[in-house]
Amino acid sequence: MGQRLSGGRSCLDVPGRLLPQPPPSPPPVRRKLALLFAMLCIWLYMFLYSCAGSCAAAPGLLLLGSGSRAAHAPPALTPGPDGIAPRLPFQAAPATPPAAGKEPAEGAASQEEQSPETPDSPSSISSFFSGSGSKQLPQAIIIGVKKGGTRALLEFLRVHPDVRAVGAEPHFFDRSYDKGLAWYRDLMPRTLEGQITMEKTPSYFVTREAPARISAMSKDTKLIVVVRDPVTRAISDYTQTLSKRPDIPTFESLTFKNRTTGLIDTSWSAIQIGIYAKHLEHWLRHFPIGQMLFVSGERLISDPAGELGRVQDFLGLKRIITDKHFYFNKTKGFPCLKKAEGSSKPHCLGKTKGRTHPEIDREVVRRLREFYRPFNLKFYQMTGQDFGWD
Ligand code: A3P
């Protein structure tokens, strides 16, 4: 009776099945597995999404950036010229050269090494949570000074839950200003309401254009300067260059224009950076002194919690970072964090921080102390603080 379907059986051949039936629904276990897989995909997507936004400081993770965010993310890493540490391309070419110096590798020497031990990126967990919020221009910047203890200050500050900072030095106001504020903001980590965005680039302090440029971004920007005895700072600066170029002349010979007359070569950047009073004059044309905080590099080592207390007050933050956060590491010879940001492990700065300095001729050190004395006194007057370097 039933009409045969071409080459098959009639629907009516099967008792009780007059019309084609939908396929049977999957068993509950398969449905659960599918749901679990979908959740895993969503979680993975959110993780990558948050990393693209907040891992500007984590060079390796930049490569994970995807989708529309990747278009705004800084370009992928290129190997460093020395083949040792990869550098972010935006750190490479100075748009405006820093203070002149006779140092052969000035550009490279002014660059802070990114030690693998430095927790430049937040943990993946904190990255995940930082997927929310938005990128802001920094409200506070550590503008100097090179070899003052700027990395230590930033790493310590990052322990504060209301501080979010970019780990690598952006060098925006000295080398990449032409890239524009949108580019600069994109380097910043995401922040939630009430959190402060920060960065540190120590060369800003000696960059002529930096005060006007930062003021043009926001005249309310809070500025922090970590200062250290200019003689020790110069030796530390020299030690850093020496570590990269062991063939450079001695510190003693670079110090003088004419060693017989004792004329100091102030064009050598290692010497010039330490004339703090001169550099500060430029900043005071654009910022009131009350908007600047001067941190003692020496006290940052002898009493980190004390200096961090001052910094937290200055930034309007609750005093959360206290003595409890630090311990003195005898091997390192420096204070270290009991727990680094986003980790439960103790953390000291990398081996490029706290190097052993070469022995410098005592007479040269004496002459340098004499040279800096009037500038130091002027600096004490300007800041209202005696740093005790004489
Ligand atoms: P030295 O390596 O000459 O000792 P910056 O981070 O601005 O480049 O400064 C580097 C200096 O930070 C180091 O110079 C070191 O003296 C100082 N510093 C301050 N606190 C430190 C800490 N907790 N661990 C290591 N170095 C610290």
Side-chain angles (χ1 to χ4, degrees), residues 112 145-152 156 200 228 236 301 332 334-335 349 352-355 357:
E112 182 187 50
V145 299
K146 185 185 173 194
K147 306 318 292 173
T150 55
R151 176 57 61 191
F156 296 166
K200 79 123 180 155
R228 177 184 188 185
S236 169
I301 297 170
K332 174 91 183 155
F334 284 91
L349 263 59
T352 62
K353 304 295 174 186
R355 291 186 176 104
H357 297 173

Short mmCIF file of all heavy atoms in Angstrom, two decimals, residues 112 145-152 156 200 228 236 301 332 334-335 349 352-355 357, ligand 1:
data_model
loop_
_atom_site.label_atom_id
_atom_site.label_comp_id
_atom_site.label_asym_id
_atom_site.label_seq_id
_atom_site.Cartn_x
_atom_site.Cartn_y
_atom_site.Cartn_z
N GLU A 112 68.14 50.68 31.07
CA GLU A 112 68.19 49.75 32.19
C GLU A 112 68.03 48.34 31.66
O GLU A 112 67.17 48.07 30.83
CB GLU A 112 67.03 50.05 33.13
CG GLU A 112 67.04 49.16 34.33
CD GLU A 112 65.79 49.35 35.17
OE1 GLU A 112 64.69 49.31 34.62
OE2 GLU A 112 65.95 49.52 36.37
N VAL A 145 66.44 59.31 39.70
CA VAL A 145 67.50 59.49 38.74
C VAL A 145 68.09 58.13 38.41
O VAL A 145 67.94 57.17 39.19
CB VAL A 145 68.63 60.41 39.28
CG1 VAL A 145 68.08 61.79 39.60
CG2 VAL A 145 69.33 59.80 40.49
N LYS A 146 68.72 58.06 37.26
CA LYS A 146 69.37 56.82 36.85
C LYS A 146 70.33 56.35 37.95
O LYS A 146 71.10 57.17 38.47
CB LYS A 146 70.13 57.08 35.55
CG LYS A 146 70.76 55.87 34.94
CD LYS A 146 71.57 56.27 33.73
CE LYS A 146 72.35 55.10 33.18
NZ LYS A 146 73.38 55.52 32.24
N LYS A 147 70.25 55.09 38.32
CA LYS A 147 71.06 54.45 39.35
C LYS A 147 70.78 54.97 40.77
O LYS A 147 71.56 54.77 41.69
CB LYS A 147 72.58 54.56 39.07
CG LYS A 147 73.04 54.07 37.73
CD LYS A 147 72.42 52.78 37.27
CE LYS A 147 72.81 51.59 38.06
NZ LYS A 147 72.00 50.40 37.63
N GLY A 148 69.62 55.62 40.92
CA GLY A 148 69.26 56.14 42.24
C GLY A 148 68.61 55.08 43.13
O GLY A 148 68.57 55.22 44.36
N GLY A 149 68.03 54.05 42.49
CA GLY A 149 67.26 53.05 43.24
C GLY A 149 65.83 53.05 42.71
O GLY A 149 64.89 52.65 43.41
N THR A 150 65.66 53.46 41.46
CA THR A 150 64.32 53.61 40.88
C THR A 150 63.61 52.27 40.71
O THR A 150 62.40 52.18 40.90
CB THR A 150 64.41 54.33 39.52
OG1 THR A 150 65.33 53.62 38.67
CG2 THR A 150 64.91 55.76 39.67
N ARG A 151 64.36 51.23 40.34
CA ARG A 151 63.73 49.92 40.16
C ARG A 151 63.24 49.39 41.50
O ARG A 151 62.14 48.86 41.62
CB ARG A 151 64.72 48.94 39.51
CG ARG A 151 64.24 47.51 39.36
CD ARG A 151 62.97 47.34 38.58
NE ARG A 151 63.07 47.83 37.22
CZ ARG A 151 62.03 47.97 36.40
NH1 ARG A 151 60.81 47.66 36.80
NH2 ARG A 151 62.19 48.45 35.18
N ALA A 152 64.06 49.57 42.54
CA ALA A 152 63.65 49.09 43.87
C ALA A 152 62.37 49.79 44.29
O ALA A 152 61.42 49.15 44.73
CB ALA A 152 64.77 49.35 44.88
N PHE A 156 58.83 47.86 44.92
CA PHE A 156 58.23 47.88 46.26
C PHE A 156 56.81 48.47 46.19
O PHE A 156 55.89 47.97 46.83
CB PHE A 156 59.10 48.71 47.22
CG PHE A 156 60.48 48.12 47.48
CD1 PHE A 156 61.48 48.89 48.08
CD2 PHE A 156 60.79 46.82 47.13
CE1 PHE A 156 62.75 48.36 48.32
CE2 PHE A 156 62.05 46.28 47.36
CZ PHE A 156 63.04 47.06 47.96
N LYS A 200 58.06 54.32 35.38
CA LYS A 200 59.33 54.93 35.75
C LYS A 200 60.26 54.97 34.54
O LYS A 200 60.38 53.97 33.80
CB LYS A 200 59.97 54.20 36.93
CG LYS A 200 60.68 52.92 36.58
CD LYS A 200 62.14 52.96 37.04
CE LYS A 200 62.89 51.69 36.71
NZ LYS A 200 64.31 51.85 36.59
N ARG A 228 70.50 59.99 45.02
CA ARG A 228 71.54 59.25 45.73
C ARG A 228 72.80 60.10 45.66
O ARG A 228 72.95 60.91 44.72
CB ARG A 228 71.73 57.95 44.96
CG ARG A 228 72.79 57.01 45.44
CD ARG A 228 72.84 55.84 44.47
NE ARG A 228 73.71 54.77 44.94
CZ ARG A 228 73.99 53.69 44.23
NH1 ARG A 228 73.46 53.52 43.01
NH2 ARG A 228 74.78 52.75 44.70
N SER A 236 78.31 54.13 40.14
CA SER A 236 77.35 53.08 39.81
C SER A 236 77.02 53.10 38.31
O SER A 236 76.95 52.05 37.65
CB SER A 236 76.08 53.29 40.63
OG SER A 236 75.04 52.48 40.18
N ILE A 301 67.51 51.97 51.07
CA ILE A 301 68.23 50.73 51.41
C ILE A 301 68.22 50.49 52.92
O ILE A 301 67.93 49.39 53.39
CB ILE A 301 69.69 50.78 50.88
CG1 ILE A 301 69.67 50.88 49.34
CG2 ILE A 301 70.50 49.57 51.35
CD1 ILE A 301 71.02 51.19 48.71
N LYS A 332 72.56 39.09 49.42
CA LYS A 332 72.39 40.17 48.45
C LYS A 332 72.96 41.48 49.01
O LYS A 332 73.46 42.32 48.28
CB LYS A 332 70.89 40.30 48.12
CG LYS A 332 70.50 41.46 47.25
CD LYS A 332 70.51 41.09 45.81
CE LYS A 332 70.19 42.30 44.93
NZ LYS A 332 70.71 42.19 43.59
N PHE A 334 71.05 43.64 50.52
CA PHE A 334 70.00 44.65 50.30
C PHE A 334 68.68 44.16 50.87
O PHE A 334 68.48 42.95 51.03
CB PHE A 334 69.81 44.90 48.80
CG PHE A 334 70.90 45.74 48.19
CD1 PHE A 334 72.03 45.13 47.65
CD2 PHE A 334 70.80 47.12 48.17
CE1 PHE A 334 73.04 45.91 47.09
CE2 PHE A 334 71.81 47.90 47.61
CZ PHE A 334 72.93 47.29 47.07
N PRO A 335 67.78 45.11 51.13
CA PRO A 335 66.44 44.65 51.53
C PRO A 335 65.72 44.01 50.35
O PRO A 335 65.92 44.41 49.21
CB PRO A 335 65.73 45.95 51.96
CG PRO A 335 66.48 47.06 51.35
CD PRO A 335 67.89 46.58 51.14
N LEU A 349 65.86 42.05 44.09
CA LEU A 349 66.08 42.57 42.74
C LEU A 349 67.14 41.73 42.04
O LEU A 349 67.92 41.04 42.70
CB LEU A 349 66.51 44.04 42.81
CG LEU A 349 65.38 45.07 42.61
CD1 LEU A 349 64.27 44.93 43.63
CD2 LEU A 349 65.93 46.48 42.67
N THR A 352 71.72 42.78 38.36
CA THR A 352 72.20 44.06 37.82
C THR A 352 71.92 45.21 38.80
O THR A 352 72.29 46.35 38.54
CB THR A 352 71.54 44.39 36.47
OG1 THR A 352 70.12 44.51 36.66
CG2 THR A 352 71.83 43.32 35.42
N LYS A 353 71.25 44.88 39.90
CA LYS A 353 70.97 45.89 40.93
C LYS A 353 71.73 45.51 42.18
O LYS A 353 71.48 44.44 42.75
CB LYS A 353 69.46 45.94 41.24
CG LYS A 353 68.59 46.20 40.03
CD LYS A 353 68.82 47.56 39.44
CE LYS A 353 68.04 47.72 38.14
NZ LYS A 353 68.34 48.99 37.47
N GLY A 354 72.66 46.37 42.58
CA GLY A 354 73.49 46.07 43.73
C GLY A 354 74.80 45.44 43.30
O GLY A 354 75.26 44.47 43.92
N ARG A 355 75.38 46.00 42.25
CA ARG A 355 76.66 45.47 41.77
C ARG A 355 77.80 45.91 42.67
O ARG A 355 77.70 46.93 43.36
CB ARG A 355 76.96 46.03 40.37
CG ARG A 355 76.06 45.54 39.26
CD ARG A 355 76.63 46.10 37.97
NE ARG A 355 75.93 45.64 36.79
CZ ARG A 355 75.07 46.39 36.11
NH1 ARG A 355 74.79 47.62 36.49
NH2 ARG A 355 74.48 45.91 35.04
N HIS A 357 81.12 47.79 43.03
CA HIS A 357 81.76 48.88 42.28
C HIS A 357 83.27 48.71 42.25
O HIS A 357 83.85 48.20 43.21
CB HIS A 357 81.44 50.24 42.93
CG HIS A 357 79.97 50.57 42.91
ND1 HIS A 357 79.45 51.66 43.57
CD2 HIS A 357 78.91 49.94 42.33
CE1 HIS A 357 78.15 51.69 43.37
NE2 HIS A 357 77.80 50.66 42.64
P1 A3P B 1 74.26 49.62 42.42
O1 A3P B 1 74.03 48.49 41.49
O2 A3P B 1 75.29 50.55 41.96
O3 A3P B 1 74.48 49.20 43.84
P2 A3P B 1 68.32 51.96 39.51
O4 A3P B 1 67.27 50.92 39.75
O5 A3P B 1 67.75 53.33 39.53
O6 A3P B 1 69.13 51.65 38.29
O7 A3P B 1 69.30 51.92 40.73
C1 A3P B 1 70.15 50.83 40.96
C2 A3P B 1 70.61 50.93 42.39
O8 A3P B 1 69.53 50.66 43.26
C3 A3P B 1 71.65 49.93 42.77
O9 A3P B 1 72.91 50.49 42.43
C4 A3P B 1 71.45 49.76 44.27
O10 A3P B 1 72.43 50.38 45.07
C5 A3P B 1 70.12 50.47 44.53
N1 A3P B 1 69.16 49.74 45.35
C6 A3P B 1 68.33 50.32 46.23
N2 A3P B 1 67.58 49.41 46.84
C7 A3P B 1 67.94 48.22 46.36
C8 A3P B 1 67.53 46.88 46.62
N3 A3P B 1 66.58 46.62 47.52
N4 A3P B 1 68.13 45.88 45.94
C9 A3P B 1 69.10 46.15 45.03
N5 A3P B 1 69.52 47.39 44.73
C10 A3P B 1 68.95 48.42 45.38
#
